[in-house]
Amino acid sequence: MFEPSALDLQQARSQQACVACRNQKRKCDKLLPKCSLCTRTGRACEYASVTPRAPANLEALQTRLSELEDRLGSRTASVAAYHSGNASPAVPVSSMSHSVGSGGAEPGSVRPDSPQAAGQAATTARVPSLLFLDVDRFQDSQLRLLTPTVRIPSDVLAVLSFENTVVDAAAVYFDTIHHWMPFISRKRMDLGIPLRSGGPDLAMLFLAMKLITSSPSPAGPATPPGHDPLYTMAKAFLSLFEANGEVSLLCLQAMVLIALYEYGHAVYPAAWMTVGACTRYADMLRITLGEERSSVMDKVTTWTELEERRRLCWAIFVLDKAIALGNRSRVAAAEPPETAALPADDLAWSEGDALHGMAYPVSASYDLPQGPFARLCQAAMLASRAIATRRRIKLMPQQPGADRVSETSALADDILRFDAILSTATADETSSAAGCAGAYYQTLAPRFLAWSAFFVLLDPYCCPVNIAPGDPGHGAVPEAKTAEEMALQRRSTEIIVTVVAKVHEVVRSISNGMSEEAEQEAAQRRLGKFCPLGLDAVYCIMGLYCWLCQEGGDETVKDRLADVDRFFSGVGERWRLAREYLHLKKYHDDAGQLGVGG
C-alpha cells in the first residue's frame, strides 16, 4: 500500500485554520480537503481568508454565545462527573438560575454554599412532583423551577457551533417569522438576558429557530418532513428535557416553534399533539391568559418580560385555533376571560418602550387601534367562536332553526365588522409585487384567519339543497329548508362570494410577486414572511372552485383555480403545507361533492 511522504503531507495542509475551527477557537490540523475535527463531526470544512461578518445588531449575540458555549461545556462536564460520583460540580446546579440579577436566593431554595446544597444539586433542577400531586403544598413551599442541566447532544452542538449558525438563524428568524408571530423578545435577546440566565434550554431555542427558518427539500420524491434530520434532532433534544423532568420558558418557546414547523410543513399527527402539549406546558408554568396564579418560575422584573410571557400564551392560543380549522375537533386552549389583555403595541414592545406599551382587554371594540399581532389574536378568537358554533349546532340538531340562524348571523356580523376594519388597514399598505412582504404580510395574517372563520361558519348554509342530514343548515332529506334557513343561505352565499374574491385577489398578487423575484434566496426570504396560517382560507376557495367547475365548467373559474395551483406551488417552496393542500385537490376532483369544501 502506498504511504505518502512527509513532503506530500506538508503539501496537503492549508496555510491557515478552517473557518469552523477559527470561529470556535479550536486547534485545527489544516488537513486538506477537510481537517480532522470537521471530519469527525461530519460538518462542512471551508478554508477562507475572511470570515463572514455577522449582522451589526447581532455581533454581541455571537460573542455571548461563544462565552455561553464555554460555560455550558464545563458545566455539563462537572454535572456529569457529580452524578457519576467522581467529583463535585464546579458550579452548583441549584445556583445557576440565580447567578445573574437574583439579588439572593429565592424563598424556599437552598443556598449553594450551604451543607444541604450538595444533597439537592442533583434534584432541584427537576420539576417536583409536589406541583402535580399537591399544588397547595407546592405554593406553601415557595419552590421555583431552576435552569435545566441536561447534557446537550453532540450533534446539536455540532450544528449550533458551525460557523455563524446561531447568529444567522436568529437574524433570519427575526426578519421573517417574527413579523407575524412576535412572541420572543428581540430586545431581551440583544441585551443578552437569555444568554446570561439560560443553559441547555437556550441551545434548544436556537435549534428551534434554525429549524423554523429552514426550507423544505425540493418537490418530488424527497425526505418526508417528519424525517428531516434537523427536525428529528430537535424533537429528540426536546424529549431529553421531558425525560429528565426539566422545564423552562425557553423550552416552551422552542416547543411553540417546533409546533409551528410541524403545522407549516403538515407533519401530522405530530402538529396536533405538540400544540396540545404547548397548552399543557403553559398551564404547568402558570402563564395562562387572564389568570393570576402563583408562578413556578422566577418573578418578572420588567414589563418587556411580562409582555413576552403574555405573547407566548397568545401564540399558543392562535396555533391551537388555526390547527382546529380543518377537522373542527375540540380545541385545547381555553378561551381568555374578557378582562385578559391582548398583546401590547408591537413596536413599543420590540423597543422595550414601556411608556407606550398600551394593551387593550379582550372585550375591547374592534374599532380601537391594535398592532398586527393583537389583530391576529382577535382573528383567532373569532375562528374559535366559529368552530365552537359549528360543533355545537352539529351536536344539537334538535335546536330550532330560528335559533341556529340567529346565532350564526350574529357571529357573521362580528366577523364582517372585523374584516372591514382590517381591509382599511391593508389598503394603507401597498399591494404591489414589491410590497407583498413585511407590513403587508403582517396585515394579511389576521385577515386570512378571519376568512377561514367565515368558511367554517357559513359553508353548511351555502348548499342549495339538503344533502347532509344532521349538519347545520341541512335538514333531513328530502325536507325543504325553512324560510329562515333560506334567508341565511342567500346571505351566506353573498358573503362567501365576496370573501372568495378577496382571497383570490391576494393569491394572485402574491403569486405575481413570487414570479417577479429574480433571486431564489430573496424569494425564500419573502415567503418566510408569509404566515402559513393563511393557507387554510386558500384551500377553502380551491374547494369552491373545484365544485363550481364540476357544476358548470366556467372558464373563468378554471383560470382562478389555476391561480390557486400556482400559488400553492410557489408557497410550497417554503411551507410544505401548501404542497399538501395542492395534493388534496384530487379528493375534490374525485368526490364531486356539493358544498364550499372548507
Side-chain angles (χ1 to χ4, degrees), residues 180-181 289 313-325 331 333-336 342-343 362 366 372-389 411 415 418 422 444-454 456 531 533:
W180 44 267
M181 190 69 89
L289 291 170
C313 292
W314 276 115
I316 297 171
F317 181 89
V318 170
L319 268 175
D320 181 60
K321 310 313 171 188
I323 206 169
L325 288 170
V331 295
E335 296 299 312
L342 289 165
V362 165
Y366 295 140
F373 189 49
R375 291 299 190 195
L376 184 61
C377 297
Q378 289 178 321
M381 286 188 287
L382 289 171
S384 181
R385 289 174 58 190
I387 295 171
T389 300
L411 180 52
I415 305 176
F418 180 72
L422 293 183
L444 278 182
R447 295 195 74 190
F448 269 117
L449 208 52
W451 290 335
S452 290
F454 271 129
V456 170
C531 177
L533 305 180

Side-chain angles (χ1 to χ4, degrees), residues 170-381:
V172 174
Y173 170 81
F174 284 114
D175 188 49
T176 55
I177 310 299
H178 186 74
H179 275 271
W180 44 267
M181 190 69 89
F183 69 95
I184 298 176
S185 173
R186 183 168 191 170
K187 172 60 68 175
R188 285 169 52 81
M189 192 74 74
D190 288 342
L191 293 175
I193 296 175
L195 298 177
R196 293 197 299 267
S197 59
D201 50 348
L202 181 60
M204 180 71 251
L205 178 60
F206 283 134
L207 184 63
M209 283 185 174
K210 171 66 175 175
L211 174 67
I212 192 62
T213 55
S214 301
S215 298
S217 57
T223 302
H227 294 80
D228 182 272
L230 196 61
Y231 169 69
T232 55
M233 182 189 303
K235 293 285 283 190
F237 189 19
L238 190 62
S239 68
L240 287 180
F241 291 91
E242 180 180 352
N244 284 272
E246 299 181 349
V247 298
S248 76
L249 193 72
L250 295 175
C251 276
L252 179 54
Q253 289 175 328
M255 184 184 289
V256 173
L257 292 182
I258 291 175
L260 187 56
Y261 171 88
E262 292 170 339
Y263 176 90
H265 296 287
V267 187
Y268 285 100
W272 180 264
M273 303 299 291
T274 305
V275 172
C278 287
T279 63
R280 285 285 196 179
Y281 205 126
D283 189 68
M284 175 177 61
L285 295 182
R286 302 294 198 268
I287 56 172
T288 49
L289 291 170
E291 187 176 352
E292 297 296 333
R293 293 184 293 172
S294 176
S295 177
V296 300
M297 299 181 296
D298 290 337
K299 294 182 179 179
V300 176
T301 58
T302 65
W303 168 78
T304 305
E305 183 181 7
L306 176 64
E307 178 67 14
E308 183 176 34
R309 294 187 182 185
R310 178 183 297 126
R311 284 170 172 262
L312 176 58
C313 292
W314 276 115
I316 297 171
F317 181 89
V318 170
L319 268 175
D320 181 60
K321 310 313 171 188
I323 206 169
L325 288 170
N327 63 4
R328 291 182 286 278
S329 295
R330 189 184 305 276
V331 295
E335 296 299 312
E338 293 187 351
T339 55
L342 289 165
D345 179 75
D346 295 319
L347 182 59
W349 178 64
S350 64
E351 296 179 352
D353 184 5
L355 296 178
H356 296 88
M358 182 175 296
Y360 293 100
V362 165
S363 58
S365 170
Y366 295 140
D367 296 321
L368 293 175
Q370 300 281 1
F373 189 49
R375 291 299 190 195
L376 184 61
C377 297
Q378 289 178 321
M381 286 188 287

Side-chain angles (χ1 to χ4, degrees), residues 126-193:
R126 296 178 60 85
V127 181
S129 58
L130 190 62
L131 172 63
F132 304 94
L133 301 180
D134 192 340
V135 68
D136 293 331
R137 302 292 76 76
F138 177 85
Q139 293 174 349
D140 292 342
S141 65
Q142 299 183 10
L143 293 174
R144 293 291 184 270
L145 300 179
L146 304 181
T147 304
T149 60
V150 300
R151 180 184 294 274
I152 303 177
S154 58
D155 55 349
V156 174
L157 285 174
V159 169
L160 296 182
S161 61
F162 178 68
E163 295 186 348
N164 294 327
T165 295
V166 170
V167 174
D168 292 342
V172 174
Y173 170 81
F174 284 114
D175 188 49
T176 55
I177 310 299
H178 186 74
H179 275 271
W180 44 267
M181 190 69 89
F183 69 95
I184 298 176
S185 173
R186 183 168 191 170
K187 172 60 68 175
R188 285 169 52 81
M189 192 74 74
D190 288 342
L191 293 175
I193 296 175

Side-chain angles (χ1 to χ4, degrees), residues 467-551:
I467 60 171
D471 240 12
H474 299 152
V477 178
E479 292 180 0
K481 290 186 176 182
T482 65
E484 293 86 355
E485 290 173 339
M486 291 181 65
L488 181 57
Q489 176 192 330
R490 287 192 293 269
R491 187 174 185 226
S492 298
T493 302
E494 293 173 357
I495 293 175
I496 290 297
V497 168
T498 302
V499 171
V500 167
K502 292 180 179 179
V503 177
H504 177 261
E505 180 182 0
V506 172
V507 163
R508 186 171 54 182
S509 176
I510 294 177
S511 296
N512 292 338
M514 288 187 296
S515 62
E516 295 173 5
E517 195 70 64
E519 299 180 2
Q520 183 177 4
E521 182 178 349
Q524 287 289 315
R525 189 161 52 249
R526 178 190 297 273
L527 288 175
K529 296 179 181 181
F530 175 80
C531 177
L533 305 180
L535 294 175
D536 174 82
V538 182
Y539 172 67
C540 288
I541 73 168
M542 184 185 76
L544 174 62
Y545 288 153
C546 288
W547 169 45
L548 293 179
C549 283
Q550 294 161 359
E551 292 287 353

